[in-house]
Amino acid sequence: MAATKFMEVMDGKTVFPPPIWMMRQAGRYLPEYRELRAKAGSFLDLCYNPDFAVEVTLQPIRRFHFDAAILFSDILVVPHALGRDLRFEEGRGPVLTPIEALEVSALKAGDAFHERLQPVYETVARLKNELPEDVSLIGFCGAPWTVATYMIAGHGTPDQAPGRLFGYSNPEVMDQLLDKLAVYSADYLVRQVEAGADALQIFDSWSGVLDEACFERWCVAPVAKMVKIVRERCGNVPIIGFPKGAGCFADAYRRKTGITAQGLDWTVPMEKARSLQTEGPVQGNLDPMRLRAGGAALEEGVDLILQELGQGPLVFNLGHGITPQVPVSHVEALVNRVRQAGG
């Protein structure tokens, strides 16, 4: 297979106009997604049924021919595969039974772990065969800290205070939980690569709520362990790390974790983004609200990123996921604006 634009950037090359994909590019803003979601019955059925998951992943590729497709799944399939209960409630999101400190030592990833995740691996393999040759396939998982916060609180919270309190009150248990999640999540990523994923992304959506010491201990160290395991088993597969909200802690994140490319949220200043780009590829970082607003706000945001980061290895993306209210026409406008920048 010839190198795609996305993989060229992962290799440190500058491609202009840059390759483009968007976090949550398969989602509720698309009418075809909403139709299939209603047919599936539940969100987990959508994730675990390869027929549905393949179709949902392909929907935005057909519409916009993004340069990369990302596996349609959820970061919480890992604790679900570890035997934790999980459901998704309309208007509330994921709900789990909060894990108690005494339950952490019993978490094990035996045969049942990969059996439950087998539909995900099948989805990856089928996507690899069905995607156009110029579209790369990204596998993913949640970072241990972010996954742990949901396991501890049982749901998302504004600042993940339950997870932070758990860690301060039970530091050794928190280390044990994060270590287990790092090992099991890395194994999950390895299986995705073996099934056909070209690259991987690790989402640390809640890294921005921690102080410096906890960021190092709960975000950096577990991801570094994951990257080491994946590298040992899969060689140099590109890994994108996305420590959302990390602020100044993001400066050394790539060096300390060993990731290939660094995902940037929309709060990262262009000066810092350019500095991070001198160390390797960056991905981002348009504010999703600019996409929702459209018009001049969208155009100005796109143009600034291309102007400031287009002369280095860049994957154009949002600084977080597409929101459900975004008009499809705004996504079309964004894609056209990026691709027409080359002249």
Side-chain angles (χ1 to χ4, degrees):
M1 177 180 172
T4 64
K5 289 172 63 176
F6 173 86
M7 293 298 283
E8 286 181 359
V9 172
M10 290 296 104
D11 199 35
K13 298 173 183 173
T14 298
V15 178
F16 196 85
I20 178 173
W21 71 278
M22 293 190 228
M23 289 178 276
R24 293 200 196 122
Q25 63 190 23
R28 286 177 288 170
Y29 76 103
L30 289 175
E32 57 266 40
Y33 171 90
R34 295 194 298 271
E35 182 180 338
L36 196 61
R37 170 70 177 80
K39 182 179 178 182
S42 76
F43 181 76
L44 280 177
D45 288 333
L46 202 61
C47 293
Y48 286 136
N49 183 315
D51 290 336
F52 291 151
V54 168
E55 173 60 22
V56 168
T57 305
L58 292 174
Q59 285 174 350
I61 304 303
R62 294 194 196 103
R63 266 194 185 262
F64 312 111
H65 205 93
F66 288 122
D67 295 287
I70 187 164
L71 164 71
F72 184 82
S73 187
D74 191 84
I75 64 170
L76 296 181
V77 297
V78 167
H80 193 223
L82 289 169
R84 306 303 297 179
D85 67 306
L86 171 65
R87 67 185 187 278
F88 286 80
E89 294 184 359
E90 197 67 33
R92 190 179 180 195
V95 179
L96 307 90
T97 299
I99 192 168
E100 302 289 340
L102 293 175
E103 295 179 290
V104 171
S105 61
L107 284 176
K108 288 184 173 59
D111 292 341
F113 179 76
H114 289 299
E115 286 173 8
R116 179 162 273 181
L117 293 170
Q118 187 56 41
V120 179
Y121 308 141
E122 180 182 337
T123 297
V124 173
R126 287 173 54 177
L127 283 168
K128 186 62 179 175
N129 288 327
E130 294 190 34
L131 282 167
E133 286 195 357
D134 59 347
V135 177
S136 299
L137 176 58
I138 304 170
F140 78 93
C141 73
W145 160 249
T146 288
V147 173
T149 63
Y150 287 96
M151 294 177 70
I152 292 163
H155 54 86
T157 66
D159 56 4
Q160 300 298 35
R164 289 152 57 207
L165 183 61
F166 183 99
Y168 291 137
S169 304
N170 310 276
E172 293 181 358
V173 178
M174 176 62 95
D175 288 342
Q176 184 183 29
L177 175 58
L178 295 177
D179 188 72
K180 285 174 177 279
L181 288 173
V183 172
Y184 303 153
S185 299
D187 195 20
Y188 175 50
L189 290 180
V190 167
R191 299 289 183 110
Q192 292 182 46
V193 173
E194 291 173 347
D198 300 305
L200 302 167
Q201 177 153 320
I202 300 172
F203 287 86
D204 216 345
S205 305
W206 287 102
S207 68
V209 300
L210 297 174
D211 65 20
E212 184 175 11
C214 291
F215 184 85
E216 293 292 319
R217 182 172 178 174
W218 297 344
C219 287
V220 171
V223 170
K225 181 166 190 167
M226 290 176 63
V227 171
K228 184 174 184 291
I229 292 171
V230 173
R231 294 264 187 261
E232 286 173 349
R233 294 176 60 185
C234 299
N236 258 348
V237 60
I239 302 173
I240 306 165
F242 181 50
K244 183 177 179 291
C248 61
F249 302 154
D251 289 353
Y253 186 81
R254 188 197 316 252
R255 295 193 299 275
K256 290 179 177 179
T257 59
I259 58 170
T260 310
Q262 189 149 339
L264 312 176
D265 66 70
W266 68 91
T267 67
V268 177
M270 284 297 114
E271 183 178 359
K272 175 175 283 191
R274 288 196 305 272
S275 175
L276 292 170
Q277 196 181 43
T278 64
E279 301 176 8
V282 294
Q283 176 178 280
N285 64 332
L286 186 76
D287 184 349
M289 288 302 104
R290 286 188 179 269
L291 178 60
R292 183 173 172 183
L298 174 59
E299 293 171 358
E300 290 165 2
V302 170
D303 293 350
L304 179 63
I305 293 169
L306 294 177
Q307 174 186 319
E308 297 291 336
L309 301 177
Q311 304 310 306
L314 168 69
V315 174
F316 196 99
N317 206 314
L318 302 180
H320 202 216
I322 297 179
T323 59
Q325 304 84 3
V326 167
V328 171
S329 61
H330 290 192
V331 179
E332 292 170 343
L334 185 154
V335 172
N336 290 336
R337 190 83 178 181
V338 171
R339 290 186 170 153
Q340 291 170 7

